[in-house]
Amino acid sequence: MGAAAPRLTFWVITPELRTDEVVLALRSSWLREVAVRTRFCVAAGLSSSADASLRWLPRLNRSQSVASGRHELNERLHDAVTHNPDDELFDRPTRRADEPLRAQQRRENRTRELTRLYNNFLRYKVFEMMRAMCAEAREDAFDYAFMMDADTAVNTSNLQRFVGALGGERQIYTGLCRKRSWGKPNGQRGVGGGPGILFSRKLLLNVCPRLELCSPLRGLMDRLERAGGDLMIAKCFEFLGVRCQLVEELPLDGKAVQLEDLFRRGPPWVYPPLPGGTILVASHLMGAKAIEQHQRLANGHLPNTEVISFHRVRPSLRAQGWDRDPRCRIYAEYTRLETGPVNWFSRCLPHFLVVGTPKSGTTSLFNWIMQHPDARAPARKELHAWTPVLQPDRSCADRPGCAVFNPKRRGMGPAWPISKQVAGKMLDAYLANFPRIDPREFALTGEATPAYVYSPSALMLLQSALMSHTHILLLLRDPAERAFSEFKNKRDLMLKGAARAHVWIDGHADFSNFTRALSVRVRGCTAEELYQACVACRRFAAAPFSGAPPGGAPLSQPRLDAPGAAELTAARRRCYAPPVIWQSWYHLFLPPWLALGRRLLLEFSDDAFADADGLMRRVAAFLSLPAHNFSTRIAYNTETKRGAFIGKDVGERNAALAALAMKQRSKASAGAMGEVERLVVDSVRRFDAQLKTAKWTPPPQQLRRELPQAWRERYRLT
Ligand SMILES: Nc1ncnc2c1ncn2[C@@H]1O[C@H](COP(=O)(O)OS(=O)(=O)O)[C@@H](OP(=O)(O)O)[C@H]1O
């Protein structure tokens, strides 16, 4: 009969803030199977958790250093956790020219001091954990103790196999054991604490009787900024004559492993190394290479792994096992200083985009999605990265003749017909607006720029291999209501003095005057002439990626890019309708979006406004977000409360205000609305026909495939 498998216990360094949340998450994730063998260690008195099963570290209060700074530490930690950098982003006071630099320095100093305080505290805490561990070692409660941070994930069977190979009779102190000074045969060593430190009971029985000799060490290290609990253990053990074991000193039967491979610290080895070292590489200069290598990365399969643990996992979101987050498409970047080491970052590309249409409730939708605990906000709701819709001269990528298109060097196939350098630069600038989501976080990000629906470059991006995973949300509002809402928005902007706002509404501040003047001007224009006069519509139809065959418009649409079309004829000039109107001609823009099939969730504002909870259930399922109780009473960006981003708390407080705002929504006169209806009815009919005939495979969450009843009645559709 073989020897019994060594008994393993897990000692988790649990945060003092949000203890409940973290412990709950850990208990329900990968630690589930080993729950009884896990000790969650918390400093007594610092956490408000009522969880009786936590292991309180009582003496911590009495320690001189922590007691003196405890209150302050707690407050600072709390501030650091609750401080939302977005608050600064969206409410910027006017600043002196050097203010950003000084603020940055202040922030850095604060962070340094916070790090010092925190590490100081950690050293006391880890020492208390050692005392608790020693008590259990004396009671023979385990053969091995594995001490780790709460944001470390452990493959428990691999760890069990590892300690099985080591046996229960040796003195073991290992993990990511490294020499701390090179070139000296007896230089210091230490185990990096993040991915975990393994102690055998035999070792603890040797060390524990003398542990108290190390107690003054904690105070001696008080002033050090970056020395955490792991370094304190290393120094204490060194003092007691015990050093961590390098791989060659472990009895692993000559198996060729590296401790760095078993106990991992962070990027780029987010997941175990990919075959052939395929990693997406990017930096400002290397963006092009990123695009080149992406395909291989996306298709790479993960090999079997012996990894025991890796550091930095958000425990609340970590799924079980070693699965990768299927929603995350990894984008890895490195930066390298001239002589310094390489730094790796891995991030998830945006997972969703709300692409339109403007004034359909996109701000509410975006903010509701952002309420989800797994969603991370971009710098702004609308990044407008791919939407120079109204300024064709600034929109190079939308035009086939543009220099960035390089048909001779289609290195990436049809997915990236623009030069890789340009694509890389565009992508770099775009991604800088998103939070860096670590693929191990099991979180997602995205943005909402309603004007994307009119942008061929946005389509281009979304049809590219790089963004082929991105989920697209499109809200459609009744075109006449949309136009009216857009009018009010642009009128308010115009009255506030915003440049170019008048272009949208022909300079009218009154909706009735606007529609009356417009209908006089376009009297006698056919629907076709109106569409022809719309430059953005023609550009959209003619651009690559909109479904247009090379050199021509899509077959399902009227030919809008006839030779010489750039020269507006007199009729075109007369029949010109401002953006408030043409943006409601959905039939001209929707077909290529519908062709994205299951990646596109098409919702109608009628359904969204009538049953927002239902909408969010569908959206959450579409984005593979766990069910969540969204607070949909809050309507964003209403007539009385404009703004793309409203903090959650403020939003809650404003729920009543928002409800009032919806009631007080101003109404257009029936006559003015009638004029708008006349300008959109042909488009609605064509769009209705497109929906009926399109070979469109919507996702399973799609509520309807046809226009809402209210539209049918209003536009007298059969
Ligand atoms: N829950 C709910 N119920 C009813 N109506 C709602 C809701 N959420 C947003 N809205 C209305 O949507 C309009 C704003 O749309 P957007 O946020 O997409 O506008 S924008 O394009 O981002 O500027 C704006 O329409 P108007 O008030 O008609 O202008 C908002 O009032």
Side-chain angles (χ1 to χ4, degrees):
M1 230 173 79
R7 295 159 302 157
L8 191 57
T9 44
F10 298 88
W11 295 72
V12 187
I13 307 177
T14 315
E16 312 309 324
L17 292 156
R18 303 185 177 182
T19 307
D20 284 324
E21 211 179 284
V22 171
V23 169
L24 191 76
L26 285 166
R27 281 206 178 113
S28 59
S29 69
W30 62 272
L31 276 171
R32 193 163 41 196
E33 323 123 53
V34 290
V36 281
R37 292 185 276 146
T38 309
R39 325 279 188 256
F40 297 99
C41 301
V42 188
L46 283 188
S47 165
S48 55
S49 171
D51 191 331
S53 67
L54 293 181
R55 180 169 291 262
W56 303 100
L57 303 172
R59 266 179 294 187
L60 209 55
N61 282 336
R62 288 201 296 271
S63 89
Q64 189 58 39
S65 169
V66 173
S68 59
R70 202 188 87 183
H71 192 67
E72 188 195 8
L73 172 75
N74 230 359
E75 281 194 342
R76 286 191 190 203
L77 288 178
H78 189 263
D79 276 357
V81 174
T82 53
H83 171 73
N84 178 3
D86 292 343
D87 297 346
E88 283 175 8
L89 265 176
F90 293 103
D91 187 20
R92 277 199 200 109
T94 1
R95 290 184 179 155
R96 288 175 34 187
D98 63 345
E99 186 58 16
L101 192 67
R102 287 145 58 95
Q104 170 75 16
Q105 280 164 353
R106 271 201 303 276
R107 259 199 306 277
E108 279 170 12
N109 287 343
R110 256 204 323 263
T111 312
R112 262 202 293 278
E113 179 56 6
L114 184 68
T115 312
R116 191 190 69 79
L117 266 167
Y118 188 65
N119 274 330
N120 187 19
F121 168 67
L122 263 184
R123 287 194 298 274
Y124 279 78
K125 184 165 168 176
V126 161
F127 198 79
E128 291 310 317
M129 280 175 77
M130 290 298 309
R131 282 175 168 151
M133 233 185 248
C134 284
E136 281 204 18
R138 278 191 288 273
E139 288 161 14
D140 194 12
F142 58 76
D143 295 311
Y144 278 92
F146 191 65
M147 181 194 271
M148 79 232 178
D149 290 356
D151 59 349
T152 300
V154 179
N155 185 325
T156 46
S157 23
N158 283 357
L159 180 58
Q160 194 69 61
R161 251 199 308 280
F162 186 71
V163 295
L166 298 176
E169 298 306 316
R170 293 171 198 266
Q171 290 196 32
I172 300 287
Y173 159 46
T174 196
L176 190 54
C177 174
R178 290 238 179 101
K179 288 181 181 157
R180 299 190 73 90
S181 50
W182 292 95
K184 297 180 196 159
N186 286 321
Q188 284 187 7
R189 290 181 189 178
V191 177
I197 309 177
L198 187 67
F199 307 97
S200 69
R201 175 169 174 264
K202 281 272 153 28
L203 175 117
L204 292 173
L205 290 181
N206 169 14
V207 160
C208 290
R210 297 174 293 142
L211 186 70
E212 297 306 320
L213 294 175
C214 293
S215 158
L217 239 181
R218 299 170 301 178
L220 288 175
M221 294 170 84
D222 262 5
R223 300 195 62 75
L224 301 181
E225 183 194 322
R226 294 197 177 271
D230 49 354
L231 187 66
M232 200 229 12
I233 293 178
K235 285 195 174 295
C236 167
F237 280 23
E238 192 95 36
F239 176 67
L240 300 178
V242 176
R243 322 179 84 196
C244 65
Q245 283 114 348
L246 302 167
V247 74
E248 56 272 22
E249 294 161 355
L250 293 170
L252 292 174
D253 297 335
K255 242 179 119 205
V257 284
Q258 290 298 318
L259 289 175
E260 287 85 347
D261 290 338
L262 301 184
F263 303 93
R264 294 180 182 279
R265 264 221 283 242
W269 310 122
V270 167
Y271 299 108
L274 295 158
T278 34
I279 272 283
L280 180 65
V281 181
S283 71
H284 284 284
L285 293 173
M286 306 282 286
K289 201 160 177 204
I291 303 214
E292 196 169 18
Q293 295 202 351
H294 181 266
Q295 287 288 45
R296 282 194 283 152
L297 178 76
N299 299 330
H301 293 290
L302 301 178
N304 281 339
T305 176
E306 293 187 315
V307 176
I308 288 174
S309 66
F310 59 82
H311 189 203
R312 287 180 185 270
V313 181
R314 283 204 46 199
S316 56
L317 302 166
R318 171 71 193 161
Q320 251 209 308
W322 293 87
D323 295 342
R324 49 188 288 175
D325 182 345
R327 298 167 309 186
C328 172
R329 174 160 287 179
I330 304 171
Y331 186 83
E333 302 158 80
Y334 81 65
T335 49
R336 182 177 208 144
L337 301 173
E338 271 308 297
T339 49
V342 169
N343 286 316
W344 285 92
F345 306 96
S346 305
R347 70 192 308 171
C348 303
L349 287 165
H351 178 68
F352 75 89
L353 294 187
V354 179
V355 298
T357 55
K359 309 317 294 175
S360 300
T362 57
T363 314
S364 288
L365 174 59
F366 172 76
N367 281 285
W368 293 337
I369 295 175
M370 284 302 140
Q371 288 173 3
H372 197 284
D374 292 3
R376 306 276 178 281
R380 297 174 298 282
K381 171 211 164 199
E382 301 187 11
L383 296 180
H384 283 276
W386 319 93
T387 53
V389 176
L390 296 176
Q391 291 143 301
D393 46 321
R394 286 176 51 189
S395 160
C396 196
D398 288 2
R399 287 175 287 128
C402 172
V404 299
F405 286 97
N406 192 341
K408 287 203 187 110
R409 292 180 56 222
R410 287 197 162 199
M412 292 305 293
W416 282 100
I418 56 175
S419 80
K420 278 185 265 167
Q421 279 75 8
V422 173
K425 267 193 207 153
M426 286 163 81
L427 198 67
D428 252 9
Y430 184 54
L431 293 182
N433 290 298
F434 288 98
R436 277 182 190 284
I437 292 187
D438 188 303
R440 293 161 299 180
E441 280 186 53
F442 284 75
L444 54 81
T445 188
E447 60 134 336
T449 304
Y452 282 163
V453 71
Y454 313 110
S455 161
S457 28
L459 259 177
M460 178 190 78
L461 173 80
L462 288 164
Q463 288 174 11
S464 73
L466 194 72
M467 297 290 275
S468 61
H469 68 293
T470 307
H471 286 53
I472 300 152
L473 295 156
L474 181 49
L475 262 178
L476 283 186
R477 189 166 177 185
D478 176 306
E481 296 299 331
R482 198 214 69 79
F484 176 49
S485 174
E486 187 76 76
F487 174 87
K488 289 183 290 182
N489 190 21
K490 292 297 179 298
R491 175 204 56 200
D492 294 351
L493 285 172
M494 182 180 79
L495 296 179
K496 275 191 209 152
R500 293 181 62 81
H502 63 280
V503 174
W504 290 66
I505 52 177
D506 289 341
H508 287 283
D510 178 86
F511 192 56
S512 296
N513 291 345
F514 165 72
T515 53
R516 209 172 302 123
L518 182 59
S519 66
V520 169
R521 193 177 69 218
V522 303
R523 189 168 297 145
C525 295
T526 62
E528 207 60 53
E529 280 170 328
L530 285 168
Y531 304 145
Q532 289 283 343
C534 167
V535 179
C537 309
R538 285 209 320 276
R539 281 182 45 245
F540 186 87
F545 310 107
S546 63
L555 297 173
S556 58
Q557 292 188 19
R559 192 176 167 84
L560 296 171
D561 65 332
E567 302 301 317
L568 286 184
T569 61
R572 276 182 179 163
R573 225 173 289 137
R574 185 172 61 83
C575 297
Y576 167 76
V580 160
I581 302 294
W582 66 249
Q583 292 200 342
S584 286
W585 292 335
Y586 301 145
H587 80 287
L588 292 177
F589 302 98
L590 266 283
W593 292 101
L594 294 180
L596 293 173
R598 290 182 178 274
R599 289 174 58 200
L600 172 82
L601 185 68
L602 179 68
E603 287 282 348
F604 291 90
S605 308
D606 308 55
D607 300 318
F609 296 166
D611 176 16
D613 291 333
L615 166 81
M616 290 316 290
R617 272 194 297 277
R618 294 191 291 279
V619 168
F622 178 61
L623 298 181
S624 309
L625 281 168
H628 178 73
N629 205 0
F630 295 95
S631 206
T632 53
R633 287 175 311 128
I634 316 159
Y636 294 86
N637 201 13
T638 58
E639 202 174 334
T640 44
K641 188 126 190 81
R642 301 253 189 241
F645 205 108
I646 304 168
K648 264 182 232 176
D649 296 348
V650 185
E652 277 294 350
R653 262 189 272 126
N654 282 352
L657 257 178
L660 196 67
M662 303 315 300
K663 271 202 201 116
Q664 288 177 343
R665 195 159 26 202
S666 49
K667 290 232 169 348
S669 72
M673 269 310 200
E675 303 285 1
V676 179
E677 284 166 17
R678 269 190 285 286
L679 288 168
V680 297
V681 64
D682 174 79
S683 172
V684 177
R685 291 204 181 118
R686 292 187 196 217
F687 183 45
D688 184 39
Q690 281 170 351
L691 282 183
K692 284 183 178 144
T693 55
K695 287 203 192 80
W696 168 37
T697 326
Q701 293 80 17
Q702 183 74 44
L703 183 66
R704 57 168 80 243
R705 285 192 62 124
E706 75 295 344
L707 300 181
Q709 189 55 27
W711 296 33
R712 311 201 76 79
E713 286 166 17
R714 183 172 198 168
Y715 299 102
R716 290 180 291 283
L717 304 176
T718 48

PDB file of all heavy atoms in Angstrom, residues 13 18 37 42 144 172 230 242 302 309 413 481 484 496 498 518 524 616 645 666 676 689 702:
ATOM      1  N   ILE A  13      -4.844  35.068   2.185  1.00  0.00           N
ATOM      2  CA  ILE A  13      -4.705  36.413   2.756  1.00  0.00           C
ATOM      3  C   ILE A  13      -5.888  37.223   2.230  1.00  0.00           C
ATOM      4  O   ILE A  13      -5.918  37.615   1.070  1.00  0.00           O
ATOM      5  CB  ILE A  13      -3.378  37.066   2.315  1.00  0.00           C
ATOM      6  CG1 ILE A  13      -2.216  36.125   2.624  1.00  0.00           C
ATOM      7  CG2 ILE A  13      -3.195  38.426   2.967  1.00  0.00           C
ATOM      8  CD1 ILE A  13      -0.858  36.626   2.159  1.00  0.00           C
ATOM      9  N   ARG A  18     -14.409  44.570   1.850  1.00  0.00           N
ATOM     10  CA  ARG A  18     -15.124  43.642   0.981  1.00  0.00           C
ATOM     11  C   ARG A  18     -14.806  42.185   1.300  1.00  0.00           C
ATOM     12  O   ARG A  18     -14.808  41.338   0.397  1.00  0.00           O
ATOM     13  CB  ARG A  18     -14.787  43.898  -0.489  1.00  0.00           C
ATOM     14  CG  ARG A  18     -15.081  45.311  -0.906  1.00  0.00           C
ATOM     15  CD  ARG A  18     -14.849  45.441  -2.365  1.00  0.00           C
ATOM     16  NE  ARG A  18     -15.196  46.779  -2.794  1.00  0.00           N
ATOM     17  CZ  ARG A  18     -15.126  47.188  -4.030  1.00  0.00           C
ATOM     18  NH1 ARG A  18     -14.758  46.364  -4.972  1.00  0.00           N
ATOM     19  NH2 ARG A  18     -15.460  48.412  -4.359  1.00  0.00           N
ATOM     20  N   ARG A  37     -10.761  22.760   3.928  1.00  0.00           N
ATOM     21  CA  ARG A  37      -9.317  22.866   4.194  1.00  0.00           C
ATOM     22  C   ARG A  37      -8.810  24.305   3.999  1.00  0.00           C
ATOM     23  O   ARG A  37      -7.629  24.541   3.933  1.00  0.00           O
ATOM     24  CB  ARG A  37      -8.568  21.918   3.253  1.00  0.00           C
ATOM     25  CG  ARG A  37      -8.841  20.460   3.588  1.00  0.00           C
ATOM     26  CD  ARG A  37      -8.012  19.548   2.737  1.00  0.00           C
ATOM     27  NE  ARG A  37      -8.626  19.285   1.446  1.00  0.00           N
ATOM     28  CZ  ARG A  37      -7.951  19.113   0.327  1.00  0.00           C
ATOM     29  NH1 ARG A  37      -6.637  19.239   0.329  1.00  0.00           N
ATOM     30  NH2 ARG A  37      -8.568  18.854  -0.791  1.00  0.00           N
ATOM     31  N   VAL A  42      -8.241  37.134   8.335  1.00  0.00           N
ATOM     32  CA  VAL A  42      -8.618  38.552   8.362  1.00  0.00           C
ATOM     33  C   VAL A  42      -8.146  39.159   9.671  1.00  0.00           C
ATOM     34  O   VAL A  42      -8.206  38.510  10.710  1.00  0.00           O
ATOM     35  CB  VAL A  42     -10.164  38.691   8.311  1.00  0.00           C
ATOM     36  CG1 VAL A  42     -10.559  40.130   8.131  1.00  0.00           C
ATOM     37  CG2 VAL A  42     -10.745  37.838   7.225  1.00  0.00           C
ATOM     38  N   TYR A 144       0.839  20.008   4.631  1.00  0.00           N
ATOM     39  CA  TYR A 144       1.330  21.160   3.865  1.00  0.00           C
ATOM     40  C   TYR A 144       0.384  22.335   4.049  1.00  0.00           C
ATOM     41  O   TYR A 144      -0.843  22.152   4.108  1.00  0.00           O
ATOM     42  CB  TYR A 144       1.414  20.839   2.364  1.00  0.00           C
ATOM     43  CG  TYR A 144       2.680  20.088   1.998  1.00  0.00           C
ATOM     44  CD1 TYR A 144       2.688  18.699   1.980  1.00  0.00           C
ATOM     45  CD2 TYR A 144       3.853  20.778   1.692  1.00  0.00           C
ATOM     46  CE1 TYR A 144       3.838  17.994   1.665  1.00  0.00           C
ATOM     47  CE2 TYR A 144       5.019  20.077   1.381  1.00  0.00           C
ATOM     48  CZ  TYR A 144       5.008  18.698   1.363  1.00  0.00           C
ATOM     49  OH  TYR A 144       6.153  18.020   1.062  1.00  0.00           O
ATOM     50  N   ILE A 172       9.966  21.483   3.542  1.00  0.00           N
ATOM     51  CA  ILE A 172       9.794  22.169   2.253  1.00  0.00           C
ATOM     52  C   ILE A 172       9.324  23.601   2.479  1.00  0.00           C
ATOM     53  O   ILE A 172       8.378  23.862   3.227  1.00  0.00           O
ATOM     54  CB  ILE A 172       8.737  21.433   1.373  1.00  0.00           C
ATOM     55  CG1 ILE A 172       9.154  19.988   1.075  1.00  0.00           C
ATOM     56  CG2 ILE A 172       8.448  22.204   0.090  1.00  0.00           C
ATOM     57  CD1 ILE A 172      10.287  19.830   0.086  1.00  0.00           C
ATOM     58  N   ASP A 230       5.902  38.414   1.949  1.00  0.00           N
ATOM     59  CA  ASP A 230       6.761  37.343   1.431  1.00  0.00           C
ATOM     60  C   ASP A 230       8.227  37.609   1.737  1.00  0.00           C
ATOM     61  O   ASP A 230       8.977  36.717   2.127  1.00  0.00           O
ATOM     62  CB  ASP A 230       6.536  37.132  -0.073  1.00  0.00           C
ATOM     63  CG  ASP A 230       6.587  38.434  -0.869  1.00  0.00           C
ATOM     64  OD1 ASP A 230       6.689  39.517  -0.250  1.00  0.00           O
ATOM     65  OD2 ASP A 230       6.524  38.370  -2.114  1.00  0.00           O
ATOM     66  N   VAL A 242      16.976  28.838   7.231  1.00  0.00           N
ATOM     67  CA  VAL A 242      16.186  28.041   6.277  1.00  0.00           C
ATOM     68  C   VAL A 242      16.054  28.831   4.985  1.00  0.00           C
ATOM     69  O   VAL A 242      15.738  30.016   5.031  1.00  0.00           O
ATOM     70  CB  VAL A 242      14.765  27.766   6.834  1.00  0.00           C
ATOM     71  CG1 VAL A 242      13.925  27.040   5.815  1.00  0.00           C
ATOM     72  CG2 VAL A 242      14.836  26.989   8.123  1.00  0.00           C
ATOM     73  N   LEU A 302      -5.123  25.780 -26.324  1.00  0.00           N
ATOM     74  CA  LEU A 302      -4.266  25.762 -25.149  1.00  0.00           C
ATOM     75  C   LEU A 302      -3.780  24.342 -24.893  1.00  0.00           C
ATOM     76  O   LEU A 302      -4.551  23.402 -24.925  1.00  0.00           O
ATOM     77  CB  LEU A 302      -5.050  26.265 -23.936  1.00  0.00           C
ATOM     78  CG  LEU A 302      -5.602  27.661 -24.075  1.00  0.00           C
ATOM     79  CD1 LEU A 302      -6.398  28.042 -22.835  1.00  0.00           C
ATOM     80  CD2 LEU A 302      -4.471  28.652 -24.285  1.00  0.00           C
ATOM     81  N   SER A 309      -0.396  27.455  -9.925  1.00  0.00           N
ATOM     82  CA  SER A 309      -1.140  28.630  -9.482  1.00  0.00           C
ATOM     83  C   SER A 309      -0.740  29.824 -10.326  1.00  0.00           C
ATOM     84  O   SER A 309       0.335  29.842 -10.903  1.00  0.00           O
ATOM     85  CB  SER A 309      -0.830  28.932  -8.016  1.00  0.00           C
ATOM     86  OG  SER A 309       0.517  29.311  -7.889  1.00  0.00           O
ATOM     87  N   GLY A 413      -5.631  39.766 -46.253  1.00  0.00           N
ATOM     88  CA  GLY A 413      -6.835  39.321 -46.939  1.00  0.00           C
ATOM     89  C   GLY A 413      -7.882  40.393 -46.855  1.00  0.00           C
ATOM     90  O   GLY A 413      -7.620  41.506 -46.406  1.00  0.00           O
ATOM     91  N   GLU A 481     -40.227  59.963 -34.584  1.00  0.00           N
ATOM     92  CA  GLU A 481     -39.923  60.314 -33.183  1.00  0.00           C
ATOM     93  C   GLU A 481     -38.425  60.563 -33.015  1.00  0.00           C
ATOM     94  O   GLU A 481     -37.996  61.460 -32.292  1.00  0.00           O
ATOM     95  CB  GLU A 481     -40.344  59.179 -32.234  1.00  0.00           C
ATOM     96  CG  GLU A 481     -41.821  58.894 -32.202  1.00  0.00           C
ATOM     97  CD  GLU A 481     -42.643  60.088 -31.737  1.00  0.00           C
ATOM     98  OE1 GLU A 481     -42.112  60.900 -30.951  1.00  0.00           O
ATOM     99  OE2 GLU A 481     -43.799  60.233 -32.183  1.00  0.00           O
ATOM    100  N   PHE A 484     -37.540  63.953 -34.329  1.00  0.00           N
ATOM    101  CA  PHE A 484     -37.967  65.030 -33.427  1.00  0.00           C
ATOM    102  C   PHE A 484     -37.002  65.135 -32.234  1.00  0.00           C
ATOM    103  O   PHE A 484     -36.575  66.222 -31.841  1.00  0.00           O
ATOM    104  CB  PHE A 484     -39.403  64.774 -32.959  1.00  0.00           C
ATOM    105  CG  PHE A 484     -39.894  65.786 -31.963  1.00  0.00           C
ATOM    106  CD1 PHE A 484     -39.739  67.150 -32.201  1.00  0.00           C
ATOM    107  CD2 PHE A 484     -40.506  65.388 -30.781  1.00  0.00           C
ATOM    108  CE1 PHE A 484     -40.185  68.099 -31.285  1.00  0.00           C
ATOM    109  CE2 PHE A 484     -40.953  66.327 -29.864  1.00  0.00           C
ATOM    110  CZ  PHE A 484     -40.781  67.684 -30.107  1.00  0.00           C
ATOM    111  N   LYS A 496     -27.043  76.808 -27.232  1.00  0.00           N
ATOM    112  CA  LYS A 496     -25.892  76.946 -26.328  1.00  0.00           C
ATOM    113  C   LYS A 496     -24.661  77.446 -27.081  1.00  0.00           C
ATOM    114  O   LYS A 496     -23.599  77.631 -26.508  1.00  0.00           O
ATOM    115  CB  LYS A 496     -25.545  75.592 -25.713  1.00  0.00           C
ATOM    116  CG  LYS A 496     -26.342  75.257 -24.486  1.00  0.00           C
ATOM    117  CD  LYS A 496     -25.731  74.038 -23.818  1.00  0.00           C
ATOM    118  CE  LYS A 496     -26.784  73.242 -23.081  1.00  0.00           C
ATOM    119  NZ  LYS A 496     -26.433  71.839 -22.993  1.00  0.00           N
ATOM    120  N   ALA A 498     -23.124  75.806 -29.796  1.00  0.00           N
ATOM    121  CA  ALA A 498     -22.215  74.781 -30.332  1.00  0.00           C
ATOM    122  C   ALA A 498     -22.025  74.975 -31.837  1.00  0.00           C
ATOM    123  O   ALA A 498     -22.992  75.222 -32.563  1.00  0.00           O
ATOM    124  CB  ALA A 498     -22.775  73.395 -30.052  1.00  0.00           C
ATOM    125  N   LEU A 518     -38.725  73.104 -44.488  1.00  0.00           N
ATOM    126  CA  LEU A 518     -38.162  71.949 -45.191  1.00  0.00           C
ATOM    127  C   LEU A 518     -39.147  71.429 -46.245  1.00  0.00           C
ATOM    128  O   LEU A 518     -38.777  71.136 -47.386  1.00  0.00           O
ATOM    129  CB  LEU A 518     -37.837  70.848 -44.165  1.00  0.00           C
ATOM    130  CG  LEU A 518     -37.199  69.587 -44.698  1.00  0.00           C
ATOM    131  CD1 LEU A 518     -35.884  69.891 -45.396  1.00  0.00           C
ATOM    132  CD2 LEU A 518     -36.956  68.598 -43.534  1.00  0.00           C
ATOM    133  N   GLY A 524     -42.171  68.483 -54.327  1.00  0.00           N
ATOM    134  CA  GLY A 524     -41.953  68.007 -55.692  1.00  0.00           C
ATOM    135  C   GLY A 524     -40.775  67.052 -55.818  1.00  0.00           C
ATOM    136  O   GLY A 524     -40.565  66.454 -56.867  1.00  0.00           O
ATOM    137  N   MET A 616     -33.242  44.218 -21.037  1.00  0.00           N
ATOM    138  CA  MET A 616     -31.956  43.929 -20.404  1.00  0.00           C
ATOM    139  C   MET A 616     -31.742  42.434 -20.194  1.00  0.00           C
ATOM    140  O   MET A 616     -30.607  41.970 -20.200  1.00  0.00           O
ATOM    141  CB  MET A 616     -31.828  44.700 -19.082  1.00  0.00           C
ATOM    142  CG  MET A 616     -31.658  46.194 -19.276  1.00  0.00           C
ATOM    143  SD  MET A 616     -30.476  46.632 -20.578  1.00  0.00           S
ATOM    144  CE  MET A 616     -28.916  46.133 -19.845  1.00  0.00           C
ATOM    145  N   PHE A 645     -23.235  60.136 -19.457  1.00  0.00           N
ATOM    146  CA  PHE A 645     -22.789  59.237 -18.405  1.00  0.00           C
ATOM    147  C   PHE A 645     -23.192  59.819 -17.073  1.00  0.00           C
ATOM    148  O   PHE A 645     -22.781  60.904 -16.720  1.00  0.00           O
ATOM    149  CB  PHE A 645     -21.267  59.123 -18.469  1.00  0.00           C
ATOM    150  CG  PHE A 645     -20.763  57.855 -17.882  1.00  0.00           C
ATOM    151  CD1 PHE A 645     -20.262  56.851 -18.696  1.00  0.00           C
ATOM    152  CD2 PHE A 645     -20.799  57.659 -16.514  1.00  0.00           C
ATOM    153  CE1 PHE A 645     -19.791  55.668 -18.151  1.00  0.00           C
ATOM    154  CE2 PHE A 645     -20.327  56.475 -15.963  1.00  0.00           C
ATOM    155  CZ  PHE A 645     -19.828  55.495 -16.789  1.00  0.00           C
ATOM    156  N   SER A 666     -41.533  67.029 -24.336  1.00  0.00           N
ATOM    157  CA  SER A 666     -42.353  67.941 -25.133  1.00  0.00           C
ATOM    158  C   SER A 666     -42.892  67.238 -26.370  1.00  0.00           C
ATOM    159  O   SER A 666     -42.287  66.286 -26.863  1.00  0.00           O
ATOM    160  CB  SER A 666     -41.536  69.178 -25.507  1.00  0.00           C
ATOM    161  OG  SER A 666     -40.301  68.779 -26.035  1.00  0.00           O
ATOM    162  N   VAL A 676     -42.792  65.370 -41.128  1.00  0.00           N
ATOM    163  CA  VAL A 676     -41.658  64.433 -40.989  1.00  0.00           C
ATOM    164  C   VAL A 676     -42.070  63.054 -41.474  1.00  0.00           C
ATOM    165  O   VAL A 676     -41.323  62.370 -42.184  1.00  0.00           O
ATOM    166  CB  VAL A 676     -41.162  64.374 -39.527  1.00  0.00           C
ATOM    167  CG1 VAL A 676     -40.011  63.394 -39.390  1.00  0.00           C
ATOM    168  CG2 VAL A 676     -40.733  65.739 -39.056  1.00  0.00           C
ATOM    169  N   ALA A 689     -39.905  46.038 -46.150  1.00  0.00           N
ATOM    170  CA  ALA A 689     -39.711  45.000 -47.172  1.00  0.00           C
ATOM    171  C   ALA A 689     -38.355  44.316 -46.993  1.00  0.00           C
ATOM    172  O   ALA A 689     -38.250  43.093 -47.127  1.00  0.00           O
ATOM    173  CB  ALA A 689     -39.806  45.638 -48.564  1.00  0.00           C
ATOM    174  N   GLN A 702     -33.209  37.587 -30.197  1.00  0.00           N
ATOM    175  CA  GLN A 702     -33.962  38.590 -30.966  1.00  0.00           C
ATOM    176  C   GLN A 702     -35.460  38.483 -30.673  1.00  0.00           C
ATOM    177  O   GLN A 702     -36.044  37.412 -30.806  1.00  0.00           O
ATOM    178  CB  GLN A 702     -33.704  38.330 -32.454  1.00  0.00           C
ATOM    179  CG  GLN A 702     -34.337  39.319 -33.390  1.00  0.00           C
ATOM    180  CD  GLN A 702     -33.593  40.660 -33.387  1.00  0.00           C
ATOM    181  OE1 GLN A 702     -32.373  40.659 -33.412  1.00  0.00           O
ATOM    182  NE2 GLN A 702     -34.332  41.724 -33.336  1.00  0.00           N
TER     183      GLN A 702
END
